[in-house]
Amino acid sequence: MTRFTLAGLGLLALALASNPVAAHRLEAALSVVEVNPSNGTLEITHRLYAHDLEHALDLGAVGAGYFETPEGQAVIKAYCERQFFIGDGQGKAIPIQFVGAELSGDLLYVYFEAGRYRGRDLTLDSNLLQDFTQAQVNQINLRRAGKTVSARFQTGTPAKQMRLP
């Protein structure tokens, strides 16, 4: 490598490291829908960046700790129910129950549970944080018996039919 190339790479690395916005700007969320092997219920976990959720909900600088308060939990529940859809193979909504949410660093884990599901096909849609940024890409992992299938959702992606592995 030439000295010019090394210097250019060094400047690029320095610019990226010194940019505080680049500290997390991964515009992605992960949702996992898993069949509990002991009782057959569907367990749903969303992993979101708390800071992005603050912006999506236009909360100002409330701080991530807000999401662990009773009011914050209610806001998270309503937001996730509005932005995430799970239905049976015909697209009929499956009722889900909010279990709770917890912070781990800058990530917020949000938990829901549905009753026992006997079907193989699900209809899924994830618009989480896409109201905050058009660049948001969400992934849903569907798991059963140690096997996983995945789908990605960008802004404007319609609901998808997925088959439990």
Side-chain angles (χ1 to χ4, degrees):
M1 250 187 226
T2 67
R3 255 189 301 172
F4 177 74
T5 304
L6 289 174
L9 288 174
L11 285 174
L12 179 61
L14 182 61
L16 289 174
S18 66
N19 184 353
V21 173
H24 125 138
R25 288 297 351 132
L26 180 63
E27 294 162 326
L30 174 66
S31 298
V32 177
V33 178
E34 189 163 18
V35 178
N36 183 315
S38 64
N39 61 16
T41 61
L42 294 176
E43 298 174 347
I44 303 159
T45 303
H46 303 298
R47 187 194 73 191
L48 311 168
Y49 285 102
H51 181 72
D52 289 351
L53 189 56
E54 284 180 76
H55 288 295
L57 296 170
D58 199 23
L59 296 173
V62 295
Y66 167 78
F67 294 122
E68 294 185 308
T69 68
E71 180 185 341
Q73 296 276 307
V75 168
I76 293 165
K77 174 187 182 293
Y79 179 78
C80 289
E81 288 175 342
R82 187 172 63 248
Q83 300 296 109
F84 182 85
F85 176 82
I86 184 167
D88 64 15
Q90 287 72 47
K92 181 181 175 197
I94 295 173
I96 58 175
Q97 297 291 317
F98 179 68
V99 176
E102 64 182 349
L103 280 169
S104 178
D106 61 348
L107 294 172
L108 182 68
Y109 291 87
V110 185
Y111 307 103
F112 286 88
E113 192 173 80
R116 187 176 182 138
Y117 186 69
R118 292 185 178 3
R120 291 242 345 166
D121 296 320
L122 291 169
T123 304
L124 296 160
D125 195 10
S126 179
N127 298 304
L128 297 165
L129 300 173
Q130 290 176 352
D131 49 346
F132 167 58
T133 175
Q134 294 289 312
Q136 182 76 20
V137 177
N138 298 330
Q139 180 167 318
I140 298 176
N141 289 348
L142 192 54
R143 293 185 184 154
R144 180 167 63 181
K147 296 180 182 170
T148 303
V149 294
S150 301
R152 290 184 183 252
F153 297 82
Q154 296 174 291
T155 302
T157 301
K160 295 182 180 185
Q161 292 276 328
M162 294 178 70
R163 178 163 281 225
L164 283 161

